[in-house]
Amino acid sequence: MSGAKETPRQKMIGMMYLVYTALLAMNVSKDILDAFDTVNSGVQTTNITLSNQINQKYATFEEQYGLDQEKVGPYWEQAQALREEATDLINYVEALKWDLVKKIECDKAKTPEEAVSMALERGLLKSADTLKNADCFQIETKLIETVDCPMFHDDQHGTACVVLAGLINATKLRGSKPEEMKIVMNGAGAAGIAVSSLLIGYGYKNFIVCDTKGAIYKGRKEGMNPFKEKLAEITNKDCIKGKLADVLKGADVVIGLSGPNTIKKEDVKQMNPKPIIFALANPTPEIFPQDAFEAGAYIVATGRSDFPNQINNSLVFPGL
């Protein structure tokens, strides 16, 4: 501006440029999501040209208004900083694009053997969500035996990590100790088995797992599989039997990894004082927070981001 006083029109143009740049920078996140969707839809391309697309938008805008540093004035440097941040984010996604292409291939696996073979061939260890719970354990076990690196299945270990973190905090707020608390978990799928193993290892020893048939215990015949047999070995030492409502009597914590509306107000009322409720089924939790609090809950968490105290594996994976 050569020391000249900024005119109202110049100020308006400069502010307009800065605002537009900020909007474009924020819009990068949408373009990145679109790129992810493109790859996940099965379009196998390594030509995700986000940088070109965004830069073209800037060029069109600048050309339309004849903008340069002289006209934009003091807003120019702020706008350029925003552009650089957006470009850095774009470049990061560009670096990931080949992994995204490989991911869609591994997700096509229909059997554990296919998933293992594809993962090893592509160097991408991501089991397909279409496989059954029991199959994901087989995949993980086979890969642990085969590859020389740590294995992480987000549905299992991501959920387990975030549940443990939440429960440690809730235990402290309640003024309790892990070894003193009775934990009941409803759900014996991939997440349930991983959660129970990690929590027991941390010190929550009084642990009972329920499935659709009721409490899992050593010697139960109905609805068992090898993974539930392992659960029976490390949980429910007193071999308590009954449905979820039965074993919740006198419990301090209930962790729901099951389905909607499976925990009733009456169940919460028969728990110990200051009960902790983790109702993590999505999108409809085992019990809604308002109902849980009305029944006497002390702390309530769900898997949803629109309620307080979210506990979801998305908070852990891939950051961990």
Side-chain angles (χ1 to χ4, degrees):
M1 297 286 293
S2 305
K5 185 177 179 181
E6 186 180 21
T7 67
R9 175 172 172 75
Q10 286 173 323
K11 183 174 183 179
M12 181 190 72
I13 291 174
M15 291 180 66
M16 181 174 65
Y17 180 66
L18 179 59
V19 169
Y20 186 79
T21 302
L23 289 173
L24 278 179
M26 290 190 297
N27 200 46
V28 167
S29 61
K30 179 182 181 302
D31 289 326
I32 289 173
L33 289 175
D34 289 344
F36 273 64
D37 290 340
T38 299
V39 176
N40 283 326
S41 67
V43 180
Q44 296 181 30
T45 174
T46 58
N47 189 29
I48 303 173
T49 55
L50 287 178
S51 293
N52 292 341
Q53 293 172 20
I54 296 296
N55 287 332
Q56 184 59 44
K57 290 178 182 178
Y58 281 121
T60 301
F61 181 76
E62 290 169 351
E63 182 180 352
Q64 180 179 352
Y65 291 97
L67 297 178
D68 55 28
Q69 187 168 0
E70 183 75 12
K71 287 186 177 180
V72 175
Y75 302 96
W76 181 264
E77 291 185 4
Q78 298 176 55
Q80 297 314 302
L82 281 171
R83 289 180 67 166
E84 287 179 12
E85 289 180 14
T87 302
D88 288 343
L89 187 56
I90 293 166
N91 290 337
Y92 175 71
V93 174
E94 290 280 354
L96 290 178
K97 63 188 177 185
W98 179 234
D99 279 345
L100 289 171
V101 173
K102 292 189 293 184
K103 171 188 174 294
I104 189 65
E105 284 298 302
C106 287
D107 274 349
K108 292 178 181 177
K110 299 301 180 186
T111 67
E113 292 74 20
E114 269 190 82
V116 171
S117 176
M118 286 181 176
L120 293 175
E121 179 183 341
R122 292 163 174 78
L124 185 72
L125 308 182
K126 197 264 184 202
S127 60
D129 292 334
T130 53
L131 296 170
K132 301 189 297 292
N133 279 328
D135 289 343
C136 78
F137 295 122
Q138 294 178 37
I139 293 168
E140 182 188 28
T141 300
K142 181 63 176 177
L143 287 172
I144 288 173
E145 295 171 353
T146 308
V147 301
D148 185 25
C149 67
M151 283 303 306
F152 186 94
H153 179 201
D154 58 316
D155 285 353
Q156 294 184 64
H157 311 303
T159 304
C161 289
V162 74
V163 169
L164 176 58
L167 189 55
I168 289 172
N169 286 340
T171 301
K172 290 178 179 178
L173 290 171
R174 191 175 185 264
S176 303
K177 296 180 180 178
E179 63 273 15
E180 299 171 346
M181 302 172 74
K182 177 184 176 182
I183 316 289
V184 176
M185 186 168 66
N186 191 35
I193 293 173
V195 168
S196 58
S197 299
L198 186 62
L199 265 59
I200 290 170
Y202 182 82
Y204 293 94
K205 303 296 185 183
N206 188 359
F207 207 101
I208 301 173
V209 180
C210 294
D211 61 9
T212 56
K213 307 297 182 185
I216 294 174
Y217 56 89
K218 194 171 183 179
R220 199 185 87 170
K221 302 298 182 184
E222 188 180 9
M224 297 295 282
N225 60 40
F227 306 103
K228 292 181 183 180
E229 296 286 354
K230 290 181 181 178
L231 272 180
E233 293 287 340
I234 62 174
T235 64
N236 200 358
K237 297 298 184 181
D238 296 328
C239 291
I240 296 172
K241 302 176 184 179
K243 297 295 184 181
L244 176 65
D246 301 319
V247 296
L248 278 176
K249 294 175 182 176
D252 300 287
V253 181
V254 58
I255 301 170
L257 292 166
S258 50
N261 305 313
T262 50
I263 299 174
K264 311 301 180 186
K265 282 186 175 182
E266 293 71 22
D267 300 331
V268 177
K269 290 177 180 178
Q270 64 181 352
M271 295 173 68
N272 279 341
K274 300 173 72 174
I276 297 169
I277 315 296
F278 287 1
L280 308 183
N282 265 330
T284 306
E286 287 81 359
I287 184 171
F288 279 93
Q290 181 178 346
D291 292 333
F293 283 124
E294 288 176 358
Y298 179 60
I299 293 173
V300 180
T302 72
R304 288 170 45 162
S305 59
D306 55 338
F307 289 139
N309 300 333
Q310 184 188 26
I311 294 181
N312 190 287
N313 63 332
S314 63
L315 302 174
V316 176
F317 179 81
L320 183 63

